[in-house]
Amino acid sequence: MIRGWLWLLSLVALVMVTGCGSPSTGDSMDAQNTTPPGSSQRAASISATNNSSIMSNLSRLEGKATIVMTVNGSPITIEVDGEAAPITAGNFVDLVNRGVYDGVSFHRVVRDPQPFVVQGGDPQSKDETVPTSRLGTGGFIDPETSQQRYIPLEIKPRNADEPIYGKTFDQAKINVAPVLSHTRGAVAMARSALPDSASSQFYFALSDLPFLDGNYAVFGYVVDGMAVVDQIEQGDRIESAKIITGLENLKN
């Protein structure tokens, strides 16, 4: 029993985001450094849930969209749900539309002792000269501000009209399940210990991961191509990511 709990805690640590200082603080799964340097600076810089102007400037997806990622020559079809996670889904679709994910690698793959996650989305990984030790520390640099763009933690409880922002369910004292749960094939944002620290990195759930529900923001699901996800190895790249349907639902 103790060994099982230690395993669960180690997996939760793996979805924490790390950073290497401003501006390249990011959102990786790094069990060795789960508290990013400069976290107080990051919290002050976003404060998205307490600043309506920041929230209003973030992309939103008003509806659903379909994304096709090509990895190792094979497609992965993702349905992105802006009805339950408008800001998180909008951020992802906006980054796909910008070409941010084309050429990035999957820098962390965790399958042992049992299937956990495949994580990618660090823009630094496009540059093959970047040391692998740095991968997982980067996020999307908005060309309009020259700063890393962060989004708030956004999780919608079942039977709620709106998502909860900036807090985990434990922090918000929410005792119901989220609308979008961590079932196998879920796509969610990686982040640091700070709730509002997700940027561009995301992960695929390789199995049902209910202990992550209410803590990390799921924004969609793999609806076709999960066998491709199961074969991804560390270092494999996203050859392309394209919006197939739903671009009209993206509001910038």
Side-chain angles (χ1 to χ4, degrees), residues 57-171:
N57 287 332
L58 294 172
S59 298
R60 301 177 68 90
L61 187 69
E62 298 178 354
K64 295 188 177 183
T66 303
I67 307 295
V68 172
M69 280 187 181
T70 302
V71 180
N72 294 324
S74 298
I76 301 167
T77 304
I78 303 167
E79 184 178 80
V80 180
D81 190 343
E83 295 173 356
I87 289 177
T88 313
N91 176 72
F92 185 76
V93 173
D94 178 57
L95 295 180
V96 170
N97 196 42
R98 292 172 181 263
V100 170
Y101 292 122
D102 295 348
V104 304
S105 70
F106 292 97
H107 60 270
R108 182 170 289 274
V109 177
V110 182
R111 291 195 175 92
D112 296 318
Q114 70 181 51
F116 184 44
V117 298
V118 169
Q119 183 183 343
D122 184 345
Q124 295 181 109
S125 65
K126 290 188 179 185
D127 185 350
E128 295 184 2
T129 67
V130 173
T132 56
S133 59
R134 279 182 54 190
L135 298 183
T137 64
F140 170 63
I141 305 299
D142 191 329
E144 295 182 3
T145 64
S146 298
Q147 300 293 321
Q148 190 163 170
R149 184 172 81 189
Y150 299 102
I151 59 172
L153 180 63
E154 175 187 54
I155 309 175
K156 186 176 181 179
R158 288 184 184 174
N159 302 320
D161 293 331
E162 299 290 338
I164 299 295
Y165 288 97
K167 294 181 179 180
T168 66
F169 276 19
D170 284 344
Q171 292 169 337

